[in-house]
Amino acid sequence: MNANDIFRALPPVTKNLIIINFIVWLAMMVLPARLGVDIIGLGGLHYFGASDFNPVQLFTYMFMHSTRSFAHILFNMFTLFMFGVVLERVLGSGRFLFYYISCGVGAALVQEGVWALTWEGFFTKELANLNNVDFGTMHAAIQQAIDMGQDLPFLNSLVTIGASGAIFGILLAFGMLFPNRPMYIMFIPVPVKAKWMVLGYGALELLIGLSEASDGVAHFAHLGGMIFGFLIMLYWKRKGIVHGDQF
């Protein structure tokens, strides 16, 4: 079986999600230069308190990936290919699509919550250093601007894109449905059960997120996708929608 046969054999939702993500990724490379369209500004997830925020971004951001590196979309789509095929066949196409979108939106909501809790301390410190004033003075200036209803342009720099939240939700579901399935992970010479792989990923994302690493990755969005995925799978389990040796 060649690559074309394998792709045609993919279940419809997984296949079309991959196609859509790559089409959007190509558009993101072409349209800004040719038409002057800021796709990330329009569809990337912005902080809800920023002037560039639009509720539709809770959905659109998960179909966008960085054009600076092929690795971003490659990792997400490869993971979708590897695990989405199995999940779609187990859950059914409609339920799988609902799950995927729900995890992506859930990840966005968690990221919004994290931004709401952290933006003031972060930007106050950065702006205080930039303007050579103390933290208290800058905090008072920002609070005054908020009280006067002024826009805070720097909030528009809080933006994230990518399917990773939905993808981490898929990993979570696979680990719950097939907890003892052996998985081979790069640099680990022995197979690891799926449940331990998922727990390891979750713990790693939490530790990196709490460390406030400035790596440009929305680690709490990844955790958000897993959290919403867990709640959905748990509900389906209690309703008898999912069965087998899972859980």
Side-chain angles (χ1 to χ4, degrees), residues 8 18 62 68-69 73-74 90 98-99 107 115 139 151-152 158 164 167 170 176 179 190 212 215 220 233:
R8 281 196 295 266
I18 293 173
M62 72 181 82
R68 297 178 181 178
S69 170
I73 190 170
L74 178 63
V90 170
F98 169 82
Y99 180 83
W115 278 335
H139 182 270
D151 285 335
L152 302 177
L158 295 175
S164 298
I167 296 301
I170 285 179
M176 293 182 73
V190 295
E212 299 182 353
D215 55 3
F220 284 105
M233 295 300 294

Side-chain angles (χ1 to χ4, degrees), residues 74-75 78 83 183-192 197 201:
L74 178 63
F75 172 80
F78 179 73
F83 298 96
M183 307 298 299
Y184 291 89
I185 304 175
M186 189 179 299
F187 305 123
I188 299 180
V190 295
V192 178
M197 178 195 72
Y201 270 123

